[in-house]
Amino acid sequence: MSGGHWLLVMAAVVAAFLVLALPIDWPGGAFGQFIPALLFPAIPLAALAYVTPVHWRSIFGKVGGREVRLMVGFALLNLVVSMGVGAIVSALTVVTPNASTSQLGGLDTAGQVAFFAKTIPQLFGEEVITLLPFLALMHLFAIRFGTGRKRAIIGAWVVSSLLFGLIHLPTYHWNWIQCIVVIGSARIVLTLPWILTKNIWVSTGAHIINDWLLFGLSLLGAGMAVTT
């Protein structure tokens, strides 16, 4: 892929983020909330398929027992890392709760099911808009700047994790420290399965398991608060 190809894919990544982040009044009632969640991964993947009609599929791999074990293992590792980093940050400064997670306990059963279902394409989209910039940055560092492969991987890993933290600024009311340190650290862990396997399904699975565990803990805490 040329530099121009990567610019087109990065433009699609930005467009996908705006589709999800902007307050657009989508049609379709309750089902309308799934439109931006589905477009979120679809837009950049369509751009990737346009510039490389054959090789765009190389970011996907098989899913077997090993891949599932990696998903679970990295999800649990990320929980440990993010909770540890979050505890340190919360002891030093104010942290902002995720509004969506906070509201989850107030939804009825149908609303909660819809919430969990919507997170599947949305979290897949987060992997897409993180790993495509990761690959673009590798191209930039290795081809344009002439760094070695290992340095290109490390540079792309760090910068893409930082960008991932920054796109969460609106979610956490522009809490820069929380997004860069806590969310960025979590992203560093979640990118590891991609680096090891080159399979976006593995990092996506780890991301979904991680977030669903957090959502489940939030629901459990809300339920215990009601009963007490």
Side-chain angles (χ1 to χ4, degrees):
M1 290 173 59
S2 67
H5 288 158
W6 280 119
L7 284 176
L8 178 61
V9 172
M10 291 305 98
V13 166
V14 173
F17 173 72
L18 292 177
V19 163
L20 186 71
L22 292 177
I24 301 173
D25 187 16
W26 297 98
F31 292 100
Q33 62 181 316
F34 287 90
I35 297 176
L38 292 169
L39 289 174
F40 191 35
I43 293 173
L45 285 177
L48 183 65
Y50 175 77
V51 299
T52 175
V54 176
H55 299 294
W56 73 277
R57 298 182 182 88
S58 63
I59 66 173
F60 300 93
K62 68 175 184 177
V63 177
R66 174 179 177 269
E67 287 72 29
V68 172
R69 289 192 295 272
L70 286 171
M71 293 176 191
V72 175
F74 278 104
L76 296 177
L77 175 62
N78 190 52
L79 280 175
V80 173
V81 171
S82 57
M83 286 183 176
V85 174
I88 295 172
V89 171
S90 63
L92 299 175
T93 186
V94 177
V95 296
T96 306
N98 186 314
S100 297
T101 305
S102 302
Q103 296 169 1
L104 182 58
L107 298 176
D108 58 18
T109 301
Q112 291 172 355
V113 170
F115 177 89
F116 276 89
K118 185 184 70 171
T119 61
I120 295 175
Q122 186 168 320
L123 294 175
F124 172 53
E126 289 192 7
E127 292 303 305
V128 171
I129 70 163
T130 301
L131 298 180
L132 291 184
F134 174 92
L135 293 173
L137 287 163
M138 275 192 62
H139 173 86
L140 178 67
F141 294 148
I143 305 300
R144 300 296 179 181
F145 295 165
T147 65
R149 178 175 173 80
K150 289 184 179 179
R151 290 185 178 181
I153 290 174
I154 293 172
W157 189 8
V158 172
V159 176
S160 62
S161 297
L162 175 62
L163 292 174
F164 181 81
L166 293 178
I167 66 172
H168 284 78
L169 282 170
T171 303
Y172 293 95
H173 301 289
W174 301 90
N175 189 324
W176 288 80
I177 295 177
Q178 183 175 354
C179 288
I180 292 174
V181 178
V182 181
I183 306 300
S185 297
R187 184 64 250 178
I188 284 177
V189 176
L190 288 174
T191 301
L192 261 176
W194 161 258
I195 294 174
L196 293 175
T197 66
K198 310 299 185 294
N199 185 347
I200 196 172
W201 294 131
V202 179
S203 60
T204 299
H207 200 160
I208 291 173
I209 293 169
N210 174 85
D211 281 27
W212 278 17
L213 285 172
L214 291 174
F215 297 149
L217 290 173
S218 175
L219 277 176
L220 180 62
M224 291 178 66
V226 171
T227 56
T228 56

